[in-house]
């Protein structure tokens, strides 16, 4: 939800993340040509005029030791339609239906409160927007048909949101000490704003056309000059009673203290304020003297027809026993078929 209201793409530029999602590559994942009997294969067997609606719920948590506080809650309702079904694939539509009022806790940050205001102000401009796309015969997305239209809307909203952001008292105070967000915003690739409209859609179809060996598997990769130390857990199973497939990925990466300093330091340097840069260099090592971890957990449940029923995406960034966690849950709300 947050990435749809495009301001988050700007805020994300201030954070360091290591995402393994969509890049999980292990010996337990197979192509359809190499399928074994003991594999879970996600294949879409859809019919023309099939329609499903989903609720997307997103929460943000602040973690400090054994305490965790939910700082924000967002939700939206979307619809998935099968427009046409052929032997070569499917033509489909994904439409944004509803954005309920966000909920915030008393501990919500300034940016989270700003996000709530932006959601209330601009969400209705997104309601009714439809992404048209095509898949192959397995249900894997192969083409988007109206991205130029979506991109135009995203850039317009982005411009309006930035103007609102510039008016925040906190942002004006940052400018006084050399943090001019307008200068930093110029470096953002606005073509990537489209990703905010496609995030949940990508999650729904990311496994289609893939087969995963049944069972539980763990792999570990040591750090190299180009790769972080990473431990990957994959599990796949079949529930014959309920007629469902389950797939889980859990990827934990170790983020060295040096890398965290380089990333955050690069953001500080971008504002070209000598006093701020000096203060950062003097204090970072004392305040952050251990490695951090970035974990991405993904859970998928599909019917035998390949219809996504539930998706859970959880991302956490931790330094020692403190950090932040984001959780997104996509749950099917209704389904109808002409068959």
């Amino acid at each position: 939800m947050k990435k749809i209201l495009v301001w988050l793409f700007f805020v994300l530029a201030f954070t360091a993340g290591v995402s393994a999602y969509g890049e999980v590559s292990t010996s337990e994942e197979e192509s359809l040509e190499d399928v074994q009997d003991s594999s879970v294969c996600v294949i879409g067997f859809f019919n023309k005029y099939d329609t499903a609606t989903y609720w997307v719920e997103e929460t943000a948590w602040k973690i400090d030791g054994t305490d965790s506080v939910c700082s924000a809650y967002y939700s939206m309702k979307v619809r998935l339609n099968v427009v046409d079904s052929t032997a070569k694939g499917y033509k489909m539509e994904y439409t944004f239906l509803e954005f309920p009022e966000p909920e915030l806790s008393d501990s919500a940050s300034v940016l989270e409160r700003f996000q709530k205001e932006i959601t209330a102000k601009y969400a209705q401009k997104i309601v009714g927007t439809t992404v048209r796309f095509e898949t192959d015969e397995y249900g894997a997305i192969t083409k988007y048909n109206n991205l130029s239209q979506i991109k135009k809307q995203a850039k317009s909203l982005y411009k309006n949101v930035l103007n609102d952001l510039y008016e925040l008292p906190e942002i004006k105070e940052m400018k006084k000490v050399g943090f001019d967000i307008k200068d930093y915003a110029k470096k953002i690739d606005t073509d990537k704003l489209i990703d905010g409209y496609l995030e949940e859609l990508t999650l729904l179809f990311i496994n289609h056309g893939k087969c995963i060996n049944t069972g539980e598997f763990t792999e570990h990769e040591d750090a190299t000059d180009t790769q972080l130390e990473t431990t990957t857990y994959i599990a796949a199973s079949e529930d014959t009673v309920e007629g469902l497939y389950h797939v889980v990925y859990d990827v934990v990466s170790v983020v060295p203290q040096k890398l965290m300093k380089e990333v955050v330091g690069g953001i500080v340097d971008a504002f070209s304020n000598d006093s701020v840069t000096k203060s950062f260099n003097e204090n970072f090592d004392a305040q952050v003297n251990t490695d951090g971890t970035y974990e991405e957990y993904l859970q998928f449940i599909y019917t035998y027809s390949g219809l996504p029923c539930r998706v859970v995406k959880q991302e956490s960034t931790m330094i020692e026993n403190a950090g932040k966690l984001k959780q997104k849950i996509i749950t099917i709300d209704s389904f109808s078929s002409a068959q």
Side-chain angles (χ1 to χ4, degrees), residues 63-76:
I63 303 171
D64 188 2
T66 58
D67 295 329
S68 59
V69 177
C70 180
S71 58
Y73 171 84
Y74 306 87
S75 64
M76 71 174 179

Side-chain angles (χ1 to χ4, degrees), residues 25 57 73 75 81 109 111 127 165 171 180 185 206 216 248 261 266 278 295 297 307 313 317:
S25 178
E57 299 176 290
Y73 171 84
S75 64
N81 291 340
S109 67
L111 287 175
V127 169
L165 180 65
I171 300 302
D180 191 342
I206 193 66
E216 300 182 12
V248 172
K261 184 176 181 180
K278 181 179 179 181
E295 179 174 9
Y297 171 87
L307 180 71
K313 178 181 180 180
T317 304

Side-chain angles (χ1 to χ4, degrees), residues 13 42 45 125 130 146 203 255 263 270-272 308 325:
V42 183
F45 297 101
K125 296 181 181 297
T130 296
N146 63 330
L203 280 171
V255 185
V263 173
F271 294 100
S272 302
L325 181 147

Side-chain angles (χ1 to χ4, degrees), residues 228-299:
L228 299 179
E229 178 185 348
T230 302
T231 301
T232 301
Y233 167 83
I234 299 178
S237 61
E238 178 182 1
D239 185 338
T240 56
V241 176
E242 297 292 335
L244 301 172
Y245 294 123
H246 297 253
V247 179
V248 172
Y249 302 103
D250 192 9
V251 183
V252 180
S253 300
V254 177
V255 185
Q257 187 265 2
K258 180 181 178 181
L259 177 59
M260 290 189 289
K261 184 176 181 180
E262 289 176 356
V263 173
V264 180
I267 295 173
V268 172
D269 290 341
F271 294 100
S272 302
N273 183 293
D274 293 339
S275 62
V276 173
T277 301
K278 181 179 179 181
S279 175
F280 168 81
N281 290 329
E282 291 176 348
N283 295 300
F284 187 88
D285 289 339
Q287 296 179 8
V288 182
N289 53 21
T290 62
D291 294 341
T293 61
Y294 176 83
E295 179 174 9
E296 187 165 27
Y297 171 87
L298 295 151
Q299 178 194 73

Side-chain angles (χ1 to χ4, degrees), residues 117-181:
E117 295 177 7
I118 289 302
T119 300
K121 185 174 181 178
Y122 293 109
Q124 294 309 308
K125 296 181 181 297
I126 300 175
V127 169
T129 298
T130 296
V131 178
R132 296 179 177 86
F133 65 101
E134 298 178 21
T135 77
D136 61 18
E137 64 270 35
Y138 304 119
I141 296 175
T142 57
K143 180 182 179 182
Y144 294 100
N145 296 317
N146 63 330
L147 285 192
S148 59
Q149 175 188 343
I150 303 299
K151 187 180 296 184
K152 182 178 179 180
Q153 182 188 68
K155 288 185 176 181
S156 175
L157 285 177
Y158 175 72
K159 180 179 179 181
N160 292 335
V161 170
L162 280 182
N163 289 334
D164 289 340
L165 180 65
Y166 298 149
E167 296 303 314
L168 286 178
E170 293 79 6
I171 300 302
K172 290 181 178 180
E173 289 299 316
M174 290 172 63
K175 185 175 181 180
K176 292 179 181 179
V177 296
F179 287 80
D180 191 342
I181 291 181

Side-chain angles (χ1 to χ4, degrees), residues 80-141:
L80 196 63
N81 291 340
V82 179
V83 177
D84 195 13
S85 172
T86 70
K88 295 183 178 181
Y90 306 94
K91 291 184 179 180
M92 305 184 75
E93 293 182 344
Y94 176 78
T95 303
F96 300 101
L97 299 179
E98 185 179 345
F99 294 89
E101 180 80 11
E103 299 176 13
L104 297 181
S105 71
D106 294 337
S107 64
S109 67
V110 171
L111 287 175
E112 287 166 338
R113 294 184 184 282
F114 173 73
Q115 182 181 334
K116 177 179 180 179
E117 295 177 7
I118 289 302
T119 300
K121 185 174 181 178
Y122 293 109
Q124 294 309 308
K125 296 181 181 297
I126 300 175
V127 169
T129 298
T130 296
V131 178
R132 296 179 177 86
F133 65 101
E134 298 178 21
T135 77
D136 61 18
E137 64 270 35
Y138 304 119
I141 296 175

Side-chain angles (χ1 to χ4, degrees), residues 185-250:
K186 295 176 183 177
K187 302 178 181 181
I188 295 176
D189 183 0
T190 55
D191 286 341
K192 293 186 179 297
L193 297 177
I194 194 69
D195 295 343
Y197 287 78
L198 305 180
E199 183 183 12
E200 287 78 20
L201 176 57
T202 299
L203 280 171
L204 289 172
F205 287 91
I206 193 66
N207 284 316
H208 283 76
K210 296 180 181 178
C211 289
I212 303 94
N213 287 346
T214 303
E216 300 182 12
F217 309 91
T218 301
E219 291 188 358
H220 181 84
E221 295 181 307
D222 293 330
T224 67
D225 292 339
T226 59
Q227 177 179 292
L228 299 179
E229 178 185 348
T230 302
T231 301
T232 301
Y233 167 83
I234 299 178
S237 61
E238 178 182 1
D239 185 338
T240 56
V241 176
E242 297 292 335
L244 301 172
Y245 294 123
H246 297 253
V247 179
V248 172
Y249 302 103
D250 192 9

